[in-house]
Amino acid sequence: MTDQPEAGPGSGPESGPESGPGSGLEPGPVTWRRDGTLGIVTINNPPVNAIGQAVRLGLMQVLERAAADTDLTGLVLCCAGRTFVAGADITELGQRLDPTLPQVIARLEALPFPTVAAIHGTALGGGLELALGCTFRVAAPGARLGLPEVKLGLLPGAGGTVRATYLIGARAALDLIGTGNPLPADAARNLGLIDAVAGAQDAPTRAACDHLRRHNAQGAISPPVLHRKDAMPPPDMAAFGDHARKLLRKARSAAPVAVVEAIRNALVLPPVEALARERALFQAALESPVSAARRHLFFAERKAARLPRDIRDAARGDTHPGALPGPRPEARHLARAGVVGAGLMGSGIAMALADAGFDVTLREVSQEALQKGLARIARSYDKDVARGRLSAPQARTRRLRIVGTTDLAALSECDLIIEAAFEDLAVKQDIFRDLDRIARPGAILATNTSYLDLDAIAAVTARPADVVGLHFFSPAQRMTLLEVVRGARTAPDVLASALALARRMGKQPVIVGAARGFVGNRMLAARNAPLARLLLEGATPAAVDAAFRDFGWPMGPFEMQDMAGLDISWRNRKATGQAEPLADALCEAGHFGQKTGRGWYRYEDGARTPLPDPHVTRLSRTLAARRGVAPRALEAAEIIARTHGPLVDEGRAILREGIAARASDIDVIWTHGYGFPGDLGGPMYWARTQGLIDDG
């Protein structure tokens, strides 16, 4: 699969002898030249060098030419531009277009001399599989390597599971392929996935040539990866089984099951048979509804991360009602960030900004509140170190980027200020009046509100065009979704800046309209509205949560509310004059969820294991009796229908009102921010596959 490269400009092969007049380069996406007795093959298929059919054809032609050159002593495979091969061309999936990638890799392995892949940027999916077909792999220091096919409901289909197992062992292969998470170059070198990391000043192609010449000078013979099985120690199948079970317990998709089978085959079957089995598993996964749903999300995520056409057109001066004239929007320069509020959300946002390299000024109204926030940040980074997510120096560097203050004027030089205060309109308006007074011209003023009217907040400033909603999800330093809320007067370049900020922070942005609850929380309210009635009719919190988990959710709505805290919604209901008798009764008794030891469930001795609470059952039965509701047995299918039907209906209303631009944007919001099963493609995609709706 293709993915967005992370390498910057200038990280590709060195210029000079590799291009230009007289270099011997043929037209097309794959070119060839000689460097002494070495052959240099360059893939140039912008923007990410995806291995489409034209690239595969070019590779086969060049490999045949190299095989016929009796003077060659080795071959280097490299890529032009900002990245190595970032994956296969996903638009070709499901089509039989010869030559296939397995055929190209087999031809590469059959060459009569050693080969080396010179990797920069990203080598992902089919790109890494191609590199694994080489004898050696040399990577630039900033390169990243991975086999992320599970994120498309697939597994590698060009030998990735087999060659990776032979190269780094079954356990490491399970972690790499089963999670789909890429590795930085140093970690890949430590595992043995690559042979060397180029020096900081060395171009990877030149480093690869040097590596090959040194190898040849030593007279050593290193077989291709596929021929190294005989050198592997006998597999410990019991240990493999234990690690596979741990992986599958964490898996939220069906694809890791196929990965485990493919890696097991690599351990126990001859290479040719293991490759054939992998290809069969890949084809079966490709034809599955899960892969179709995951591929839908793949494209949806990329659409959501781009500035919508109407905003681009308006900024260029293509007029339509409400258009804002001006040049094509460019992101503003953001170097220094401020956060107002050091509570749970504000602390998380400050960490997310620091993790992305920003210097952050964190402001609170009192020294006591500020110290609590800074202590929370320190504890979080300490946990990251303890869990191996960060080294101690990395954690210290990030923590030192965050400076606390009680002086709002300390934010005056920030390029971006994010308000994360109490969810109260009057409170937020007061903060924005003060920010409007002290912030430098051109600074972006953002609110993290999850429900409130962005335009009402922007209206108290003299710069509503600079105001945008940035709705992070808790914990902000972990959750990937960022709802970018577009106000009536938000400037196009502010929206472009928000998307660029999301990319820098590793977030998945979705632009939404300014309506109460925006997209995610508005739909969440619709989904959760039937829950109280279900309890009155005889369902228990445990039964509802079990139905959700069986559907594919990581946890049910009552478990989620207990984890988040019932008091949050309670305060919101009181502020808007709403009531929910059952939930309100729990909150009035001080039962706010895990943090108080009781909510919809009981939690003993600080544990997070939910236990049935007879108090909730008694409350439900009492309210049911008052309303004349006779309890009955409810099946899981009815629970899902009565909660997910309103979810989808609200999504359709949001589309009609223009709060979301596309149904696929809603799918991205719900899979990234709310845990809707990715294997089902999001609520709107799922509804179409079930025949519940027929309008995209």
Side-chain angles (χ1 to χ4, degrees), residues 344-385:
L344 185 63
M345 181 59 78
S347 298
I349 294 172
M351 291 177 67
L353 289 164
D355 292 348
F358 285 95
D359 291 325
V360 183
T361 302
L362 179 62
R363 188 259 182 177
E364 254 296 356
V365 293
S366 71
Q367 193 66 34
E368 180 184 5
L370 177 63
Q371 290 307 314
K372 285 182 179 179
L374 293 174
R376 183 184 297 110
I377 289 169
R379 287 194 303 272
S380 183
Y381 278 127
D382 287 344
K383 288 179 182 178
D384 286 344
V385 172

Side-chain angles (χ1 to χ4, degrees), residues 451 519-529 557 647 650 670 674:
Y451 283 99
V519 171
N521 282 343
R522 176 171 160 179
M523 291 177 67
L524 181 66
R527 189 203 70 177
N528 287 354
L647 173 73
E650 196 67 25
W670 270 82
Y674 296 86

Side-chain angles (χ1 to χ4, degrees), residues 5 7-15 18-19 25 28-31 40-50 55 76-86 118-122 204-205:
S11 60
E14 62 272 23
S15 59
E18 297 200 12
S19 59
L25 294 175
V30 181
T31 55
I40 311 294
V41 178
T42 303
I43 298 172
N44 186 9
N45 186 31
V48 294
N49 293 318
V55 172
V76 175
L77 177 64
C78 62
C79 292
R82 55 183 179 174
T83 186
F84 192 73
V85 175
I119 298 169
H120 72 287
T122 54
T205 303

